[in-house]
Amino acid sequence: MEKLTKLFQSMWNEGELPQQLKDANIVHIYKKKGNRQSCYNHQDISLHSIAGKILARILLNRFATFIDLTKAFDTVSKVGLWKVMENFACPSKFTEIARQFHDVEGTGRGG
């Protein structure tokens, strides 16, 4: 726990997440109804590293507002979500770290 705390503090101070924490494996899971060949009968889930999951949970727990981020990340515009976070006076460093989790290009400016 102490090592993870130091690692997360270092990432916070630098404002940059290592690529290993941002990477995820996408797994397609059959919903057990309908034709298995149809992509509409599957659900995608992303599998992150344990350290990445811990950091993401810490961020979610620190963001105290009415937004359920675990659902919001799957259903709303990311650009809109970043603007909402900004409007709620969320610290820019916090928003940037959250953005990096959802950046597919590794630039830290994911939309």
Side-chain angles (χ1 to χ4, degrees), residues 33-44:
K33 56 182 172 183
N35 183 350
R36 277 186 171 264
Q37 303 302 317
S38 173
C39 63
Y40 297 108
N41 296 325
H42 289 79
Q43 180 171 347
D44 296 338

Side-chain angles (χ1 to χ4, degrees), residues 63-70 72 81 84-85 88:
F63 191 61
T65 188
F66 67 92
I67 299 173
D68 181 346
L69 289 179
T70 55
L81 184 58
V84 167
M85 290 172 77
F88 276 93

Side-chain angles (χ1 to χ4, degrees), residues 90-107:
C90 187
S92 59
K93 188 181 274 191
F94 184 96
T95 303
E96 183 59 29
I97 296 288
R99 288 174 88 163
Q100 289 180 46
F101 269 109
H102 298 280
D103 179 21
V104 293
E105 298 173 14
T107 62

